[in-house]
Amino acid sequence: MNGGTFIKRYDDPERCVAAAAHHTWLTSLNADVRLPRLLASDAQHLIFERLPGHTPAAADLPRVAAALGRLHAAAHERELHAARLHQPHTTTIELVIPDFADPRRAALHRAAAVAGVDVAAVDAVLDRPGLPAAFYKDPNVRNYLVSGEGVAVVDFDDLTLAPFGYDLAGLLVTASMTYGRLDEQTLACCIGAYRVAVAPQQCRPADLRQFAELHHLLTLRYLGHNGYRHPWPTVRPWPSPFPPR
């Protein structure tokens, strides 16, 4: 942090350019969700305005879920209604958003082997091209700021296509691994707020549970770091939908 700005440094200039393009596209959605202004950039730095706020607590999660839903609904209505999950999609600003399965398949297979999860079950969740497209933008609970009644979205490094509900599942997994098991009322409020925001493109409970397991596998290596204190199997609010290997 430096005065009224937040400076993010990138070792890879291509990632810096990509993050700036992601921010531009998300801003163009006009989704009634606050994003920090990008004030300046060079080959290895993005300089954003510093927004007030704090990392969401468990009680803040329904508002975060609603903001996430507004972003997904706006993206689908404006651009992604024509996207297919199994194909990269080029937006109106010439941003190429990668497909859903290819960027994460190898990492999921490796994590499934470690966790003793059936790889075929993982692939069955990844390979569902007929679902309507929203997007993934690292839904880690730390990538939101809450200030009063407002929610801001930060961190623009990663962007891919994803089904509706995939990022909501990631929010719930990362929050649970950070704060512990979420109570039923908080879960219901999060799911309800998201579904209201994205209607009629809703996420079935069975899909949400499967998406949560993908996020668990991708987050396994961070357990014990970055605030992840609780293993997902100990705080999972429902039975695992994946059969053991």
Side-chain angles (χ1 to χ4, degrees):
M1 294 288 186
N2 180 21
T5 63
F6 175 82
I7 302 174
K8 183 154 187 180
R9 185 182 186 281
Y10 295 83
D11 293 329
D12 181 353
E14 290 187 3
R15 283 185 61 79
C16 185
V17 170
H22 299 162
H23 176 273
T24 298
W25 182 71
L26 290 167
T27 301
S28 75
L29 298 177
N30 295 317
D32 191 29
V33 177
R34 188 170 184 187
L35 287 76
R37 288 179 296 134
L38 179 58
L39 303 175
S41 64
D42 61 27
Q44 290 187 289
H45 301 86
L46 298 181
I47 304 174
F48 294 99
E49 69 170 324
R50 182 174 65 179
L51 296 179
H54 58 85
T55 299
D60 300 312
L61 292 177
R63 280 185 289 156
V64 177
L68 186 57
R70 291 196 297 274
L71 277 171
H72 286 174
H76 184 82
E77 179 180 355
R78 293 173 182 273
E79 296 233 16
L80 300 183
H81 57 275
R84 299 295 178 263
L85 289 177
H86 64 296
Q87 299 173 347
H89 179 78
T90 302
T91 72
T92 54
I93 66 166
E94 300 302 315
L95 170 67
V96 178
I97 303 179
D99 67 285
F100 177 55
D102 287 345
R104 45 183 58 85
R105 192 186 302 274
L108 282 167
H109 283 189
R110 289 192 297 269
V114 172
V117 171
D118 184 358
V119 170
V122 170
D123 283 339
V125 180
L126 283 176
D127 296 323
R128 299 179 61 187
L131 293 178
F135 63 82
Y136 159 86
K137 190 218 72 66
D138 192 356
N140 184 330
V141 68
R142 296 158 190 80
N143 288 337
Y144 303 90
L145 290 173
V146 174
S147 179
E149 294 301 312
V151 174
V153 176
V154 297
D155 192 292
F156 309 99
D157 291 354
D158 299 304
L159 191 70
T160 73
L161 297 177
F164 280 88
Y166 183 76
D167 272 13
L168 174 62
L171 174 68
L172 298 177
V173 169
T174 60
S176 298
M177 292 179 67
T178 301
Y179 304 129
R181 185 188 297 269
L182 302 177
D183 62 62
E184 291 186 7
Q185 182 177 1
T186 298
L187 281 170
C189 288
C190 288
I191 295 168
Y194 180 84
R195 286 167 64 90
V196 166
V198 303
Q201 308 293 341
Q202 297 186 357
C203 175
R204 300 184 309 155
D207 290 336
L208 185 69
R209 294 172 185 179
Q210 291 178 333
F211 297 155
E213 295 312 303
L214 298 191
H215 282 285
H216 162 231
L217 291 174
L218 292 171
T219 311
L220 265 176
R221 60 193 175 118
Y222 300 113
L223 184 63
H225 306 279
N226 303 327
Y228 293 125
R229 299 177 295 161
H230 304 277
W232 173 245
T234 70
V235 294
R236 183 192 285 117
W238 45 65
S240 173
F242 280 6
R245 188 176 53 186

